[in-house]
Amino acid sequence: MKKIRLGVNIDHVATIRNARGEKYPSPLRAAVLAQESGADSVTIHLREDRRHINDLDLKSINTKLKIPLNLEIAATNEMLEIALKHNPKFVCIVPEKRKEITTEGGLNLNFKKLFLKKVINKLKKKKSRVSLFIEPNQLDIKKAKLLNADCVEIHTGRFCNLVNEKKNFRNELKRIKQAVILGNRIGLEVHAGHGLTYKSAMILSKVKGIQEFNIGHFLIGESIFKGLSSCIKQFKRIIK
Ligand code: PXP
């Protein structure tokens, strides 16, 4: 059986850095640590408003990282130009709204179809693997294939919310499974991401055919608890 890959999204290391306008914590350091710890790729989302990852982060991470960088971008001329310039191994096209806290849903594949196709083909010509972030529905899977994407990433937000709230997630899980089966059948690589925790990732890891998970917010938050005690002890040694 093919190994499931883990992409580590480090956007929120930059969120913490930017909250104080300092140079730390460094997203580059987090990217290198993710690589050393067994991540299969590192994901960053360069947003139009640069609220977390910025252009310098992109440049330094893309230069230093040995595992693939997965660059998430909105389908705009500005982002296309940036992606073509830096030529990351992986690109994931995501919807973007200025006022949203996070990427709230999948792409609307009926909107700007010709432009999307152009973006995908230009990136593929430069040998980037192109993924589209979509809702788990059959129509969008078919549309992604027609647009010539290599992969789809299924937005797991709704599923994860149901799991977190201990609500019935069976229908949503079924929708995801059906999307995965169809995606694989028509030759798309299928990924999953958004809102994943230990529990939701465990459930979805049992779905055959998902080749990659991209996980950020929970993983970065959880790492506080894996590291807080050791940092406190170090400060105690320093000031003793
Ligand atoms: N995959 C995509 C395409 C995303 O846009 C995001 C969030 O930016 C993630 C995965 C990671 O989601 P989370 O931070 O909730 O784990």
Side-chain angles (χ1 to χ4, degrees), residues 39-228:
D40 297 290
S41 50
V42 167
T43 298
I44 55 175
H45 182 178
L46 186 72
R47 280 184 171 267
E48 185 197 9
D49 62 7
R50 310 300 197 266
R51 68 174 71 158
H52 37 57
I53 293 294
N54 63 36
D55 301 69
L56 273 178
D57 296 325
L58 164 60
K59 188 169 176 214
S60 64
I61 294 167
N62 195 39
T63 309
K64 299 259 165 64
L65 207 66
K66 294 191 179 76
I67 55 175
L69 173 65
N70 179 32
L71 177 65
E72 288 179 7
I73 53 166
T76 63
N77 279 315
E78 183 204 7
M79 288 300 154
L80 173 62
E81 219 171 273
I82 291 173
L84 291 172
K85 179 172 150 211
H86 293 278
N87 195 208
K89 278 243 163 57
F90 301 164
V91 177
C92 181
I93 301 174
V94 300
E96 209 175 286
K97 293 188 209 126
R98 231 167 213 270
K99 290 211 174 100
E100 69 189 356
I101 294 172
T102 181
T103 317
E104 282 163 359
L107 283 163
N108 177 353
L109 297 183
N110 294 318
F111 182 61
K112 294 206 300 185
K113 248 194 299 197
L114 284 179
F115 183 66
L116 253 183
K117 202 164 184 166
K118 180 181 115 178
V119 171
I120 294 167
N121 286 336
K122 285 202 166 193
L123 292 166
K124 284 183 68 164
K125 262 199 192 130
K126 293 265 284 179
K127 304 269 182 284
S128 288
R129 181 199 78 175
V130 182
S131 176
L132 300 182
F133 193 37
I134 60 169
E135 290 295 320
N137 75 57
Q138 307 262 310
L139 216 58
D140 282 347
I141 298 272
K142 288 182 195 154
K143 283 181 192 157
K145 182 70 185 171
L146 288 173
L147 285 169
N148 202 22
D150 299 301
C151 329
V152 287
E153 178 162 333
I154 291 177
H155 194 301
T156 53
R158 187 197 305 255
F159 170 76
C160 292
N161 284 342
L162 292 169
V163 172
N164 293 346
E165 290 162 17
K166 297 189 167 49
K167 290 191 177 147
N168 186 346
F169 56 77
R170 282 196 9 221
N171 282 344
E172 189 60 16
L173 183 59
K174 191 168 159 203
R175 235 161 62 93
I176 293 175
K177 282 181 178 166
Q178 286 169 341
V180 175
I181 290 170
L182 176 63
N184 286 167
R185 186 150 57 79
I186 62 177
L188 289 167
E189 229 192 67
V190 183
H191 308 157
H194 208 278
L196 290 164
T197 60
Y198 294 137
K199 188 164 181 203
S200 41
M202 168 79 86
I203 301 167
L204 289 181
S205 70
K206 306 278 187 285
V207 176
K208 274 203 193 90
I210 300 180
Q211 279 128 312
E212 182 177 303
F213 287 91
N214 283 299
I215 308 181
H217 183 258
F218 177 83
L219 189 154
I220 298 300
E222 190 63 8
S223 67
I224 295 171
F225 301 104
K226 300 283 183 208
L228 188 59

